[in-house]
Amino acid sequence: MRLAIPFAVTALSLGLILSGCDKGETASTPTSAETPDAAQAADPAAEAFVRSLYPTTQGGTATGEGPDLYSAAPWSTRTATLIGQTQTLTAEGDMGFFEANPFCACQDDTGMRLTAVTVTPRDADHADAAVVLTFAEATPPETVSQTYNLVRENGAWKIDDIQRDQTREFPERPLVESLNAWIAEARAQPAA
């Protein structure tokens, strides 16, 4: 008899719980008023900034070849500082940190085209811009994707980090992680 009462209580509780379950009704999706952070619209200036990194001949809006990699212009203060440190630590005549163009994740951008930019805001001053690049002259044509972590500084969008495509033959760490590792390695080497 002692087992019958707990069993009956458990069965009754389970029945009450299940009675509120699916009866052909669907759950409602929260509205933007219920989830204020999720409904933030992307700033068109963020996409315009990313497109300015690529020449018009490659689907971007930059006249000429795009920004100088060692110029502070496209980089956040944090990332520009790290790039500056790599320049200081690079011996005269050495290549330095950038062995490839981080905007195309390549050494040769022949036939490369910016085919998509999708900006997802994280908050008013941070956004992620996913880009898709297509290399039409590769056999077979190759598609590369990467994500720029953007930050708004003094009213202008800047690249704070780059999350690289990890599905490639030679995946790379995020840009800031790579910069920090390069700097640590350079500092650990004995002076020549």
Side-chain angles (χ1 to χ4, degrees), residues 3-187:
L3 292 177
I5 293 174
F7 178 75
V9 171
T10 303
L12 180 60
S13 298
L14 184 58
L16 291 172
I17 291 169
L18 292 176
S19 69
C21 288
D22 189 3
K23 294 182 182 177
E25 299 172 11
T26 58
S28 64
T29 304
T31 65
S32 60
E34 294 169 327
T35 56
D37 295 335
Q40 189 173 10
D43 179 358
E47 181 176 343
F49 165 70
V50 171
R51 290 188 177 280
S52 76
L53 302 172
Y54 300 91
T56 55
T57 57
Q58 295 176 334
T61 59
T63 55
E65 296 193 12
D68 175 7
L69 299 179
Y70 290 100
S71 158
W75 308 109
S76 69
T77 302
R78 169 181 84 140
T79 305
T81 300
L82 292 171
I83 291 169
Q85 287 178 33
T86 68
Q87 288 181 286
T88 301
L89 294 168
T90 300
E92 188 173 333
D94 284 353
M95 180 175 283
F97 175 77
F98 287 118
E99 295 177 3
N101 183 333
F103 303 137
C104 67
C106 66
Q107 291 180 333
D108 180 8
D109 64 2
T110 303
M112 191 273 298
R113 190 137 185 91
L114 174 65
T115 52
V117 178
T118 305
V119 176
T120 304
R122 289 190 279 148
D123 61 39
D125 292 321
H126 297 87
D128 293 329
V131 298
V132 177
L133 308 167
T134 303
F135 293 83
E137 293 188 14
T139 306
E142 181 182 6
T143 300
V144 174
S145 60
Q146 58 186 19
T147 300
Y148 295 109
N149 301 134
L150 304 178
V151 61
R152 189 187 329 249
E153 292 182 350
N154 300 316
W157 288 104
K158 304 286 183 175
I159 299 169
D160 193 48
D161 205 354
I162 302 175
Q163 307 300 318
R164 276 97 177 245
D165 185 349
Q166 296 301 304
T167 63
R168 298 186 74 187
E169 182 179 0
F170 302 106
E172 296 180 55
R173 296 181 285 197
L175 178 65
V176 169
E177 183 180 331
S178 297
L179 285 164
N180 281 314
W182 191 97
I183 291 166
E185 185 177 313
R187 287 183 176 155

